Amino acid sequence: MTTQTHDSRSPLTWTTLSIVYVVWGSTYLGIHYVVQTMPPLISAGLRFIVAAAVLAAVLAILRGPSVLRVPWRRLGTAALVGLLLLTGGNGMVGIAEQHISSGLAALLVASVPLWLVLFRVATGDRPPVATVAGVLVGFGGLALLTLTRGGGSGDVTGVAVILIASLSWSIGSFLSSRLPMPENPFAASVYEMAAGGVALLAAGFGRGETLHLGEVSRASWLGLAYLIVFGSLVAFTSYVWLLGNAPISLVGTYAYVNPAVAVLLGVAFAGEHASWAILAGGLIIILGVGLVVSTERRPRTDAEPGPAAGVEAAAAEPAAQEPPR
């Protein structure tokens, strides 16, 4: 089976990446409203199960039921990635936001690109110096924002949980580009969201969570609807597509832009104050994104391997190493 990695400079890549940049930045505010009157794991489980069912129905109508038929091995790896991304990653964000602000949660999740680069190095890839520098610069902006704004908006438990969530998400993202996944990225999203949603419900009921419909506020229902439609159906499927069609370091830059979006939304809708430190940290984060993006956009030459060498090499190897499609 032939695979093809899209040019990271293509309009489709940048359109899809822009969706992930903006929409996922807004989901932190959505989660903030949801967990005010709904339990975090059960609400996240409902979010992904409903989104999986809707996406499966749309695929079956538009492409036929056969699009959802995948080999058991690929189904298993999709489920594994879903558990890492959604149960260990997204579910933990909901728990963390019971202890820390949505803005701080988004800022701490910006550690994802650093983990991704470390994983690349551990597997023998050698990212360009500019890519590593961009990650470190962006992480410096994250540290500045966290130190100046997060001190009064959370506790140690919330910080620890969100860092565990970031690590789980990073592992899932990295493995999805190395393991055999369903060829159709939307079918992959269905099984990832279904597996993650079921596991979230099981974990929620296991930890004693209960959902009292009469106590759920309108804001929580609207937040959940937004997360289902935009956070899951639109942004998550875009992210899955990017993992199979763009350099992993370029995809990881969303974690730098999301915090900026989350901070701006906090100022606009939650009455938060944008201090000089927040503005300075945001500028540093944007600089880090610029370094990584400019490096990842450079086309490869025979004499100089590009930063996506690890992902592109995987695409040239046997089917067991193909990126998801």
Side-chain angles (χ1 to χ4, degrees):
M1 179 172 49
T2 303
T3 61
Q4 179 178 358
T5 301
H6 286 237
D7 187 345
S8 62
R9 298 166 292 177
S10 71
L12 179 58
T13 297
W14 285 101
T15 299
T16 309
L17 190 61
S18 296
I19 292 173
V20 174
Y21 277 174
V22 176
V23 174
W24 265 356
S26 67
T27 58
Y28 291 96
L29 186 63
I31 293 173
H32 167 76
Y33 286 120
V34 169
V35 299
Q36 284 182 343
T37 59
M38 299 181 74
L41 296 184
I42 289 180
S43 61
L46 291 175
R47 165 190 173 182
F48 291 114
I49 287 177
V50 171
V54 171
L55 182 57
V58 171
L59 284 176
I61 293 172
L62 297 180
R63 304 287 295 275
S66 61
V67 73
L68 297 173
R69 298 171 187 166
V70 300
W72 283 106
R73 184 183 180 189
R74 292 176 182 261
L75 180 61
T77 54
L80 172 62
V81 170
L83 292 175
L84 290 167
L85 292 179
L86 304 179
T87 308
N90 188 275
M92 294 300 101
V93 171
I95 293 177
E97 286 200 31
Q98 293 183 317
H99 302 276
I100 62 177
S101 69
S102 61
L104 178 57
L107 298 175
L108 293 173
V109 170
S111 62
V112 167
L114 179 60
W115 286 111
L116 292 177
V117 172
L118 292 179
F119 293 157
R120 287 176 58 185
V121 173
T123 55
D125 193 8
R126 291 185 296 176
V129 174
T131 295
V132 177
V135 170
L136 295 178
V137 168
F139 197 78
L142 163 68
L144 173 61
L145 287 173
T146 302
L147 291 173
T148 57
R149 182 172 179 269
S153 61
D155 57 29
V156 175
T157 300
V159 171
V161 170
I162 203 70
L163 290 178
I164 292 173
S166 299
L167 178 58
S168 180
W169 187 278
S170 301
I171 295 173
S173 299
F174 186 74
L175 291 181
S176 69
S177 66
R178 302 297 179 111
L179 296 177
M181 298 284 288
E183 294 187 19
N184 186 295
F186 300 104
S189 295
V190 168
Y191 293 117
E192 289 172 14
M193 290 191 292
V198 170
L200 282 165
L201 285 181
F205 287 118
R207 72 191 294 258
E209 291 185 358
T210 56
L211 178 62
H212 302 288
L213 298 180
E215 299 177 0
V216 179
S217 68
R218 181 181 179 184
S220 290
W221 283 122
L222 290 175
L224 182 61
Y226 179 82
L227 292 174
I228 291 173
V229 176
F230 293 97
S232 297
L233 292 175
V234 176
F236 184 68
T237 52
S238 297
Y239 182 73
V240 170
W241 184 89
L242 283 168
L243 288 176
N245 294 277
I248 190 70
S249 294
L250 178 59
V251 177
T253 60
Y254 78 89
Y256 288 158
V257 181
N258 286 173
V261 173
V263 169
L264 290 175
L265 290 176
V267 171
F269 296 100
E272 297 176 351
H273 177 63
S275 65
W276 69 267
I278 292 177
L279 296 177
L283 290 176
I284 295 174
I285 288 174
I286 293 173
L287 175 60
V289 172
L291 287 173
V292 174
V293 168
S294 62
T295 304
E296 296 299 320
R297 289 185 63 183
R298 296 172 188 168
R300 292 201 306 164
T301 63
D302 293 338
E304 181 180 358
V311 175
E312 293 175 353
E317 293 176 1
Q321 296 297 323
E322 292 173 1
R325 284 289 174 271

